């Protein structure tokens, strides 16, 4: 039983909770989305700025490009798992292309967190993920 | 007090169960009674003309009599078996209030209600264009009685004991005052958190409707009770139509059975009803006063221990006399779900969240709280383990 506890609240999670990365608002963002988790009362908003990412230099025929995340940040309040999740996800998403992130599944998110989450707390773990997916589909 | 009566504690040696406000554990006698029905006289009730059906029918009516006596109803026909308190409230809203109320009229509730006694009334107000008023509470979790609101309201829906703050509302006094200034007001009392823990006398309270759930009072899940004064119930239209609730059915019309059967369409949760009857016996044998005293003692002890924890905020009355065995709290800089999870990983079962009372949490200005609630099987050592667990949580979170 102790093992599950240590894994859910391993140091990395607690560090992200205490000092989340990418916390704050983006003054100019392409898209933002907010969701709440009624189970915990968590509320998180993610801000994303997309930019063109060129694939290959001096290509001929004309350069191909794709949308990628140039800047990303989040604000909100919540439990350790949802805040740490948003912190780790925004860090992971930096510089990734839209295509890469659309493919980033629920399972990938849980793997990124690296902890075992119970069924009831999946919502916390996936809150940031769900908001980012919303940002991607609304852009 | 009676831990050995509950098999769950033999099967989970280190279980510290502090969530009885969500659902109570079940004593062996209740489980035996249900199994006895399924094994020895399983039959549908009020239908078969053979011995096991007669026995099942008799057991169901025996349970009705027991419940009726337990809350001191005037007559067993005032006891209607439903799924739970939520369903009972919905029946009153749909079958009593909806047909009798007109646009622009007013209904009242309180800000400390469980969603089950809030949302049905709120939705009724939206559907029927009613004014929707509520009573607020003070910093100690005690309700303010507002004359102007009660004077105009057609109905008042109020909880006996708050499922978050633990406040025991002075229901008798509130009802007496309400009737003094508004003789027509119809009052529904949510007894889900009171009936399992203290003596309730519906005639003494003088409420019109009283509702509660079996699973919070040692019976199985899926059974609940709607009590209503006979003259009100007799006036109400059925809530569900179907088998067993009719007098006679012609091709183009039906007449309906008398109360209570009019509100008991379809096959009932027979095993659940039998379990409820046995649960009532069990509670009465322990004595409601002894139960209340035991839980009061635990609450006092727990409040004393918790007040010593640094960074803790306790919600609701701080005096065990004024509250049921329910304590809501928060710890500075730690989210309630993280507290509950760390405790849960050590088999200490508390609840975290809004406890189906979001308006109350909005009123408190927090999104969630932790909640500890007691049953007769809890002892002071459960509180000691809890407090030690909370210290551990604080250490993990460096709070």
């Amino acid at each position: 039983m102790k093992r599950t506890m240590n894994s859910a609240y391993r140091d990395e999670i607690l560090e992200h909770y205490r000092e989340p990365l990418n916390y704050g608002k983006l003054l100019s963002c392409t898209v933002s989305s907010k969701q709440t988790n009624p189970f915990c009362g968590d509320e998180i908003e993610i801000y994303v700025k997309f930019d063109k990412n060129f694939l290959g230099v001096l290509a001929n025929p004309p350069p191909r490009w794709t949308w990628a995340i140039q800047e990303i940040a989040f604000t909100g309040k919540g439990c350790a798992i949802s805040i740490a999740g948003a912190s780790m996800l925004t860090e992971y998403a930096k510089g990734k292309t839209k295509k890469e992130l659309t493919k980033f599944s629920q399972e990938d998110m849980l793997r990124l967190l690296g902890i075992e989450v119970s069924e009831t707390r999946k919502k916390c773990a996936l809150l940031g993920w769900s908001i980012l997916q919303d940002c991607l589909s609304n852009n | 007090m009676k831990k050995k009566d509950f098999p769950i504690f033999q099967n989970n040696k280190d279980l510290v169960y502090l969530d009885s406000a969500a659902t109570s554990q079940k004593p062996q006698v209740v489980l035996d009674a249900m199994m006895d029905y399924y094994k020895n006289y399983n039959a549908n009730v009020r239908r078969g003309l053979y011995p096991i059906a007669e026995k099942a029918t008799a057991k169901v009516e025996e349970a009705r009599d027991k419940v009726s006596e337990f809350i001191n109803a005037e007559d067993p026909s005032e006891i209607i078996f439903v799924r739970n308190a939520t369903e009972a409230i919905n029946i009153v809203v749909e079958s009593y209030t909806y047909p009798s109320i007109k646009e622009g009229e007013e209904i009242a509730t309180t800000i400390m209600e469980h969603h089950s006694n809030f949302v049905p009334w709120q939705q009724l107000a939206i559907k029927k264009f009613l004014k929707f008023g509520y009573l607020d509470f003070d910093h100690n979790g005690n309700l303010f009685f507002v004359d102007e609101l009660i004077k105009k309201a057609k109905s008042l829906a109020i909880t006996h004991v708050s499922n978050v703050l633990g406040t025991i509302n002075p229901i008798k006094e509130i009802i007496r005052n309400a009737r003094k200034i508004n003789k027509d007001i119809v009052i529904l009392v949510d007894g889900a958190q009171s009936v399992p823990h203290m003596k309730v006398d519906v005639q003494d309270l003088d409420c019109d409707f009283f509702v509660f759930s079996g699973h919070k009072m040692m019976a199985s899940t899926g059974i609940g009770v709607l009590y209503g004064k006979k003259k009100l119930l007799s006036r109400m239209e059925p809530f569900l139509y179907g088998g067993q609730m009719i007098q006679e059915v012609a091709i183009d019309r039906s007449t309906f059975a008398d109360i209570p059967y009019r509100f008991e369409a379809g096959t009932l949760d027979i095993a659940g009803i039998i379990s409820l009857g046995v649960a009532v016996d069990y509670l009465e044998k322990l004595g409601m006063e002894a139960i209340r005293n035991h839980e009061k003692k635990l609450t006092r002890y727990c409040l004393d221990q918790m007040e010593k924890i640094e960074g803790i905020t306790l919600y609701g009355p701080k005096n065990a006399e004024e509250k049921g065995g329910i304590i809501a709290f928060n710890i500075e800089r730690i989210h309630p779900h993280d507290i509950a999870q760390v405790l849960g990983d050590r088999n200490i079962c508390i609840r975290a969240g809004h406890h189906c009372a979001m308006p109350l949490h909005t009123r408190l200005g927090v999104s969630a709280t932790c909640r500890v609630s007691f049953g007769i099987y809890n002892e002071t050592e459960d509180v000691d383990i809890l407090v030690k667990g909370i210290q551990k949580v604080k250490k993990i979170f460096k709070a």
Side-chain angles (χ1 to χ4, degrees), chain A residues 1 9 39-40 42 80 121, chain B residues 335 337-338 341 345 354 396:
Chain A
M1 238 157 254
Y9 292 102
F39 178 67
C40 282
D42 296 346
R121 299 213 68 190
Chain B
H335 192 285
H337 274 93
D338 294 323
Q341 175 96 62
D345 289 338
H354 50 62
I396 291 175

Side-chain angles (χ1 to χ4, degrees), chain B residues 325-341:
Chain B
I326 296 172
I327 299 171
F329 67 96
N330 262 330
I331 292 171
E332 224 177 351
R333 294 197 306 276
I334 315 180
H335 192 285
H337 274 93
D338 294 323
I339 299 171
Q341 175 96 62

